[in-house]
Amino acid sequence: MKRYGHLYERVCSYDNLTEAFYNARKNKTGRSEVIEYERELHANTLLLQSELQTFSYRTPEYAVFKLYEPKERQIFKLPFRDRVVHWAIMQVVEPIWVSNFTSDTYACIKGRGVHLMVRRVKRALQDTDQASYCLKLDVKKFYPSIDHQILKQVIRKKIKDPELLQVLDEIIESSPGVPIGNYLSQFFANLYLSEMDHLLKEFLKVKYYFRYADDMVILSGDKSVLHGVLVWVNDYLETERKLSLKDNYSIYPVTKGIDFGGYVVFPTHVMARKRNKKNLCRKISKWRKKGLTNEEIRLKESSRLGFMKHCDSKNLLNVLEMKKFSEIRRSPGKLDGDKLHIDKILDKNIRITAYEITESKYKGECLTLQYLIEKDVTKEDGSVEKEWVKHITFTGSEALIKLFRETDLEDYPVEAKIVKQSISSGKGNFFYNVVDPD
């Protein structure tokens, strides 16, 4: 197995740390700590680079809090600058680690994720001869139970750079187990069980296997085979990884549906998990009691409604009068609207409905934004009312183009605000940014 060295210099490079900042701030542009870091971006990047190069960087104490939905979890949070460090590391080592994962690992890997996993599970269920029964299992207290010494050994199977390993070891030892909330933790979790993935596929010859972090689904046409796989997985986890399975594992016919990744997958269709449907109904009811229109509710609950569009939920969306949402989020086609210069919409709340990035006829790239902005409109009777009017704006801002390139058209429509922020280095003395509306 090839092992990689000479990586740490790339991690510490100024360009890599700057790129890490832009990745770490994604969907967090309105947070005060992000704005504060960005205000002195050049100085903060140099300071972080110096700490990493001199090995004086240390992971600070975590802020710990609890989330209770859908179940109680202890979440660990680091200051924003430490997220930049984690991103800087991941930008260098992610291709190395991803190359070691099987195609059956889906959590936190670009180009995969829950929706691809659910589609592949449904496709596998069409094989009635070899996928008529399901073994569903997950690990007990997975993240807190990860053993540091075993994790370090797993990492060293692909990385031999002593300087990078020193920093990774310090991050690993900064808390018990692996803290939920760290960007690196997601990949540590995938790495920790990656050997098991390969053994299941290559040694046990399991055809249909799907893993999302510590949740696993294995399909077979023979229940006795799944019972044997269950014994093997339990033994491997206990002896090789010092982990144990939850007692709620089960083997059952796939016709009952497989509850996995927030959906319930059947051979013929996919439904949303009952809890997710209840939460959506509860949220929509709350907004309607506050007098919001359906369009305003779609903007508030875009993530939940987007989740529903990946399953057979037309009836639910019809009942909730939310079906139009899926129509809004189709490929935008030709963008249109009255043209406005970007400076005309600074610091104003807008509803971005679509965007497009194309080659500029002058130089570089051009971002086209299509959005709605609230304006005073004079009616025929002379009265003035506020209405949402469609506009488009063209810009060559590299900062905005980079930000929008990181999003997906399925993220829209969304409410936002474009601001002009000063910088202490680079070309010019400002750049455009998108933040959450007040």
Side-chain angles (χ1 to χ4, degrees):
M1 179 184 291
K2 182 177 179 180
R3 297 172 69 225
Y4 293 82
H6 307 291
L7 302 173
Y8 195 61
E9 184 178 348
R10 290 165 54 194
V11 170
C12 299
S13 73
Y14 183 89
D15 289 344
N16 187 59
L17 288 170
T18 303
E19 183 181 355
F21 158 74
Y22 286 110
N23 283 322
R25 77 163 187 173
K26 184 180 177 182
N27 299 324
K28 299 177 179 64
T29 53
R31 295 186 182 180
S32 58
E33 61 176 342
V34 179
I35 295 171
E36 186 68 24
Y37 188 98
E38 191 167 19
R39 189 172 289 122
E40 298 294 337
L41 179 58
H42 178 63
N44 285 325
T45 303
L46 288 177
L47 177 60
L48 208 51
Q49 183 183 44
S50 175
E51 290 181 19
L52 290 169
Q53 289 174 337
T54 59
F55 299 97
S56 60
Y57 170 79
R58 294 291 182 273
T59 302
E61 186 175 348
Y62 289 87
V64 183
F65 58 95
K66 291 184 179 180
L67 291 181
Y68 296 92
E69 186 182 343
K71 60 183 178 181
E72 181 178 324
R73 290 183 183 274
Q74 197 171 43
I75 307 298
F76 294 75
K77 182 181 178 182
L78 286 172
F80 177 74
R81 74 191 303 269
D82 299 282
R83 288 185 59 84
V84 174
V85 172
H86 289 200
W87 267 99
I89 294 172
M90 283 306 306
Q91 287 167 179
V92 174
V93 302
E94 181 179 9
I96 298 171
W97 285 345
V98 169
S99 68
N100 192 51
F101 299 151
T102 71
S103 60
D104 303 302
T105 305
Y106 294 90
C108 310
I109 300 176
K110 292 177 183 177
R112 301 190 195 178
V114 168
H115 300 130
L116 176 63
M117 177 182 71
V118 168
R119 290 198 299 271
R120 287 183 175 175
V121 171
K122 182 184 175 185
R123 189 186 309 148
L125 295 181
Q126 310 307 310
D127 187 350
T128 54
D129 291 334
Q130 299 188 62
S132 52
Y133 292 96
C134 169
L135 166 61
K136 189 172 184 296
L137 61 166
D138 61 299
V139 179
K140 184 186 299 182
K141 297 187 180 300
F142 178 49
Y143 282 85
S145 302
I146 289 178
D147 183 271
H148 288 177
Q149 295 308 312
I150 295 176
L151 177 58
K152 291 177 185 178
Q153 292 171 10
V154 171
I155 290 173
R156 280 160 171 77
K157 288 184 178 180
K158 295 294 288 185
I159 295 175
K160 62 181 180 180
D161 185 327
E163 296 174 326
L164 178 56
L165 289 172
Q166 180 179 331
V167 174
L168 286 172
D169 288 351
E170 191 278 329
I171 293 172
I172 291 170
E173 294 293 346
S174 65
S175 73
V178 167
I180 299 175
N182 271 4
Y183 180 56
L184 275 170
S185 296
Q186 303 164 353
F187 273 81
F188 287 160
N190 280 339
L191 280 171
Y192 202 69
L193 296 182
S194 61
E195 182 184 67
M196 183 187 73
D197 298 337
H198 282 281
L199 291 172
L200 279 167
K201 297 292 291 184
E202 297 157 17
F203 176 65
L204 294 185
K205 305 298 182 183
V206 172
K207 183 175 183 180
Y208 297 119
Y209 166 65
F210 309 90
R211 178 168 72 86
Y212 195 91
D214 62 318
D215 291 333
M216 291 167 271
V217 161
I218 302 170
L219 306 176
S220 176
D222 189 339
K223 288 176 69 174
S224 63
V225 170
L226 294 180
H227 281 288
V229 172
L230 173 62
V231 172
W232 184 91
V233 170
N234 186 63
D235 179 70
Y236 175 87
L237 291 175
E238 290 185 349
T239 58
E240 300 295 329
R241 292 296 181 262
K242 297 184 180 180
L243 298 172
S244 57
L245 290 173
K246 287 183 180 178
D247 295 332
N248 63 351
Y249 61 82
S250 55
I251 298 176
Y252 55 91
V254 299
T255 51
K256 291 184 177 181
I258 301 172
D259 190 337
F260 197 33
Y263 299 96
V264 182
V265 188
F266 295 87
T268 56
H269 61 286
V270 178
M271 303 297 294
R273 184 181 288 166
K274 187 175 182 179
R275 180 175 64 239
N276 293 335
K277 290 189 286 188
K278 282 186 173 181
N279 287 340
L280 176 61
C281 294
R282 193 178 296 116
K283 285 287 188 180
I284 290 177
S285 176
K286 182 189 79 170
W287 294 125
R288 284 194 172 134
K289 287 178 181 178
K290 291 188 176 183
L292 271 65
T293 66
N294 283 351
E295 185 67 25
E296 290 170 329
I297 293 173
R298 291 185 190 105
L299 290 165
K300 294 285 186 184
E301 299 300 328
S302 58
S303 61
R304 284 187 172 88
L305 289 166
F307 187 84
M308 291 298 170
K309 91 182 188 79
H310 288 276
C311 64
D312 300 286
S313 59
K314 289 183 180 179
N315 185 58
L316 175 65
L317 295 177
N318 277 333
V319 171
L320 295 174
E321 299 179 6
M322 289 287 120
K323 184 178 179 182
K324 186 181 176 186
F325 177 85
S326 59
E327 297 168 359
I328 289 176
R329 288 162 62 122
R330 290 179 303 184
S331 177
K334 184 176 180 180
L335 307 187
D336 60 358
D338 294 334
K339 297 179 184 178
L340 276 182
H341 190 276
I342 192 168
D343 288 342
K344 297 288 186 182
I345 59 173
L346 290 179
D347 301 315
K348 295 180 180 179
N349 287 357
I350 61 176
R351 294 178 177 176
I352 302 174
T353 54
Y355 74 90
E356 186 177 37
I357 299 173
T358 58
E359 290 295 322
S360 171
K361 54 178 151 182
Y362 301 107
K363 184 180 179 181
E365 294 180 310
C366 175
L367 169 68
T368 305
L369 282 182
Q370 177 182 278
Y371 55 90
L372 302 175
I373 189 166
E374 198 171 30
K375 289 186 172 183
D376 291 330
V377 177
T378 304
K379 300 296 183 180
E380 292 182 359
D381 60 2
S383 62
V384 178
E385 295 183 5
K386 288 189 176 295
E387 288 187 4
W388 289 91
V389 181
K390 186 193 290 187
H391 288 279
I392 58 172
T393 290
F394 304 97
T395 176
S397 166
E398 293 181 4
L400 283 183
I401 290 172
K402 180 176 178 61
L403 181 64
F404 278 91
R405 196 183 294 282
E406 295 168 352
T407 68
D408 193 286
L409 286 172
E410 292 185 355
D411 295 331
Y412 299 90
V414 65
E415 291 187 342
K417 182 186 291 185
I418 295 179
V419 298
K420 185 183 284 189
Q421 296 181 338
S422 61
I423 56 177
S424 56
S425 66
K427 297 179 180 179
N429 58 0
F430 70 89
F431 68 99
Y432 294 111
N433 192 13
V434 177
V435 300
D436 295 329
D438 294 333

